[in-house]
């Protein structure tokens, strides 16, 4: 079974989450291709698609949201999961972001999961630093890679069940 794991990431935190998901699925025997959302030309080669994005102000990055919207018709005929990566201070654990909920509904995603992100203040531009100073969220890496691997393992179990039908 061919699986695409696509991501929209500005500073690389979400890309690393996608890489861990792809590695977990690959270790379980799936043929996995991992790519930045802006590099994905089509989804027709894949049996299943996992797409995720960093979240800023409750919105997905344009490249990831664009991938979902542009290929919505094809994605409706595939098994799709989605994930969002954002800071815990702007959401409750496992709370869905509005845009992610809309995108998941658009393609009939089998699931959407939110993961805590990472905030490296030194990598931000001046405008982003001003916003962060005003919000004053905790800085650091809050990603739980064991939780991410567990989620990917659950997706693999569902994929195997679908393939057995």
């Amino acid at each position: 079974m061919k699986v695409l794991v696509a991501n929209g990431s500005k500073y690389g935190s979400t890309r690393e989450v996608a890489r861990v998901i792809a590695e977990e699925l690959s270790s379980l025997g799936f043929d996995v291709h991992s790519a930045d959302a802006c590099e994905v030309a089509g989804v027709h080669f894949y049996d299943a698609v996992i797409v995720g994005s960093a979240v800023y102000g409750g919105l997905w990055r344009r490249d990831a949201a664009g991938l979902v919207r542009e290929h919505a018709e094809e994605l409706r005929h595939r098994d799709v999961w989605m994930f969002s990566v954002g800071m815990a201070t702007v959401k409750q654990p496992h709370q869905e972001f509005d845009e992610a909920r809309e995108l998941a509904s658009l393609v009939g995603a089998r699931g959407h999961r939110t993961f805590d992100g990472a905030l490296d203040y030194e990598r931000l531009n001046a405008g982003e630093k001003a916003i962060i100073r005003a919000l004053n969220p905790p800085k650091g890496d809050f990603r739980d890679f064991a939780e991410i691997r567990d989620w990917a393992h659950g997706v693999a179990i569902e994929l195997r069940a679908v393939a057995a039908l």
Side-chain angles (χ1 to χ4, degrees):
M1 181 174 280
K2 289 186 170 199
V3 180
L4 170 65
V5 179
N7 76 88
S9 185
K10 184 172 185 177
Y11 292 109
S13 174
T14 302
R15 185 176 300 110
E16 290 174 10
V17 170
R19 180 186 50 79
V20 168
I21 292 168
E23 287 173 357
E24 181 68 18
L25 292 173
S26 184
S27 75
L28 295 169
F30 292 91
D31 181 6
V32 181
H33 176 79
S34 185
D36 288 345
C38 61
E39 297 174 351
V40 176
V43 297
H44 53 280
F45 296 112
Y46 305 99
D47 303 300
V49 176
I50 300 171
V51 62
S53 179
V55 177
Y56 299 97
L59 300 174
W60 267 29
R61 287 188 42 84
R62 281 186 297 225
D63 54 351
L67 171 67
V68 173
R69 287 188 177 101
E70 181 179 335
H71 299 284
E73 184 58 36
E74 284 183 287
L75 289 170
R76 282 188 205 102
H77 301 287
R78 282 165 180 68
D79 293 307
V80 177
W81 283 265
M82 299 169 67
F83 66 94
S84 296
V85 179
M87 295 308 295
T89 57
V90 296
K91 66 174 182 63
Q92 296 300 313
H94 311 299
Q95 171 189 352
E96 295 210 21
F97 294 104
D98 290 341
E99 185 175 34
R101 186 179 312 117
E102 178 253 317
L103 292 169
S105 177
L106 176 68
V107 299
R110 296 176 63 90
H112 172 260
R113 181 68 177 267
T114 58
F115 298 111
D116 290 336
L119 176 58
D120 183 351
Y121 186 78
E122 297 307 314
R123 295 183 73 189
L124 304 178
N125 65 40
E128 292 165 334
K129 285 180 179 179
I131 292 169
I132 293 304
R133 277 192 300 272
L135 295 173
N136 196 29
K139 295 162 188 74
D141 190 343
F142 302 95
R143 296 171 296 172
D144 181 340
F145 288 106
E147 175 188 17
I148 293 162
R149 283 186 197 90
D150 286 347
W151 180 77
H153 190 86
V155 169
I157 290 168
E158 287 189 59
L159 280 171
R160 285 201 176 112
V162 168
L165 295 177

